[in-house]
Amino acid sequence: MSSEAKAKGGSIVHLGAGALSGVTSCVLLQPFDLLKTRVQQSHMQGTGRGSVIQVLQTVVQSEGVRGLWRGTIPTLLRNAPGTSLYFYFLNHTKTLSLSAERRILGDAQRTKLSAASNMLVGASSRALAGFLLMPGTVLKVQYESSLYRYKGMMPAVMEIWRSGGFRGFFVGAVPTAIRDAPYAGLYMLLYESVKSYERAFAEGRGISLRETTVTMVAGVSAGLTASYLTQPFDLVKTRMQLRPREYTSVAQSFVKIFREETMLGFFRGISLRVLRKGIQASLVFTLYEWVLRTNAAKNSAPSTALKA
């Protein structure tokens, strides 16, 4: 097989692995996303802070248990290709960055990126994928909110177009980028660091760790930490996408939230986001790396086809 064909096949595997992990995490964790959106909108409805339990009871009483999965389709339309594109970009930027480090440092045998490169690779890959899928993000957030009662995907798309035009599909793009780029950069830095620490710790004590255990622990640790640090931007993004006429810019939104809700207002829905992100990050990266290892093992196995 030519190197061009191998590269093409590798890209398809990364896209497929990303899509599989994205779809799985979206379906399983959609209730966390919906509840987070409802908690973050509670102040705009004049319902006070609105605890997670209160919001959960309201959703189940008014919409049934199925209501917890409201918005799953737009979430899938946004996150499945979004996760797939993210891992595709991540793979290519990692390769380019490693080649650049080898040339700059004069180390042709280098196999791991530096901490700074891991942050840059994660941030740029997430920011690019997030921008391309921004219309899906706006649709997803409004669909999950009880402030909008869309009857289907097309009515939602038409209403967003009617009220905001083309720009309506990119409301909140700046806070989303400010949230996602640092989150992904921090995540990649912590994820790779924790994995290295786990392996060194186990090796030093003669402990055998399964690779899935290593990736899951690293995923949860990195996801929890990065989520806490970027939470204020997540809240600003949600407010701008739900009420673009009230929250008109990043700076104005920060000032408005701080004045009306104090610093604590920026952390509405933090428990749901941190829990979802921790589980999602662990699940997504574990599935992704499992697919890559399975594919690599399959390609390296000797052919057992019978000769005619």
Side-chain angles (χ1 to χ4, degrees):
M1 184 182 290
S2 67
S3 59
E4 183 179 347
K6 286 182 179 179
K8 183 178 179 181
S11 296
I12 293 173
V13 170
H14 282 277
L15 284 167
L20 173 64
S21 58
V23 168
T24 305
S25 64
C26 284
V27 174
L28 292 177
L29 303 176
Q30 176 60 20
F32 291 95
D33 236 4
L34 180 130
L35 292 173
K36 176 183 73 74
T37 299
R38 298 288 177 92
V39 169
Q40 290 182 341
Q41 77 176 34
S42 60
H43 177 78
M44 295 185 290
Q45 293 177 300
T47 56
R49 283 189 60 83
S51 69
V52 175
I53 299 300
Q54 290 173 335
V55 173
L56 174 61
Q57 290 175 339
T58 300
V59 172
V60 173
Q61 288 172 2
S62 61
E63 304 174 46
V65 175
R66 290 182 61 184
L68 294 171
W69 273 268
R70 177 179 171 81
T72 300
I73 299 301
T75 296
L76 285 172
L77 291 176
R78 185 256 178 258
N79 284 5
T83 306
S84 185
L85 282 174
Y86 168 63
F87 281 117
Y88 176 80
F89 294 145
L90 190 68
N91 176 50
H92 282 273
T93 51
K94 267 187 168 183
T95 302
L96 291 173
S97 297
L98 186 58
S99 297
E101 285 194 353
R102 285 171 175 171
R103 288 197 301 272
I104 294 171
L105 300 175
D107 181 7
Q109 304 303 314
R110 190 178 183 84
T111 59
K112 290 186 177 182
L113 289 175
S114 64
S117 291
N118 270 321
M119 285 192 71
L120 181 62
V121 163
S124 59
S125 299
R126 178 66 72 184
L128 181 55
F131 179 77
L132 293 176
L133 274 298
M134 195 66 217
T137 302
V138 175
L139 181 62
K140 166 188 171 298
V141 170
Q142 292 193 7
Y143 219 95
E144 290 171 348
S145 170
S146 61
L147 298 175
Y148 300 84
R149 284 300 179 185
Y150 297 129
K151 299 299 182 182
M153 294 289 293
M154 284 311 298
V157 171
M158 295 303 295
E159 177 58 26
I160 294 172
W161 176 265
R162 186 194 65 76
S163 61
F166 183 75
R167 291 182 63 183
F169 291 101
F170 288 86
V171 170
V174 173
T176 298
I178 297 174
R179 176 200 67 176
D180 286 353
Y183 171 85
L186 284 168
Y187 180 87
M188 282 304 300
L189 171 64
L190 294 170
Y191 179 72
E192 294 296 340
S193 299
V194 172
K195 283 203 304 182
S196 297
Y197 175 79
E198 286 183 84
R199 287 166 179 158
F201 181 86
E203 184 178 345
R205 289 160 178 75
I207 301 172
S208 177
L209 283 180
R210 294 177 63 88
E211 193 60 25
T212 51
T213 302
V214 172
T215 53
M216 288 189 73
V217 172
V220 170
S221 303
L224 291 176
T225 306
S227 295
Y228 264 109
L229 294 176
T230 57
Q231 168 64 16
F233 294 102
D234 183 69
L235 183 102
V236 169
K237 171 201 77 80
T238 300
R239 294 290 178 83
M240 289 182 69
Q241 290 172 343
L242 292 178
R243 283 288 188 260
R245 292 179 182 178
E246 293 180 29
Y247 299 86
T248 57
S249 70
V250 176
Q252 180 267 346
S253 298
F254 266 101
V255 172
K256 179 178 172 64
I257 293 169
F258 182 75
R259 283 179 176 173
E260 296 179 358
E261 307 170 52
T262 73
M263 193 64 187
L264 293 176
F266 291 105
F267 291 88
R268 289 183 187 274
I270 180 65
S271 59
L272 289 164
R273 180 170 184 256
V274 166
L275 186 58
R276 181 183 67 84
K277 279 290 187 181
I279 298 172
Q280 182 185 38
S282 176
L283 181 62
V284 165
F285 269 79
T286 299
L287 274 173
Y288 173 73
E289 295 200 1
W290 174 78
V291 170
L292 296 187
R293 289 196 303 271
T294 302
N295 181 72
K298 179 181 177 182
N299 290 336
S300 63
S303 174
T304 56
L306 295 176
K307 294 183 180 181

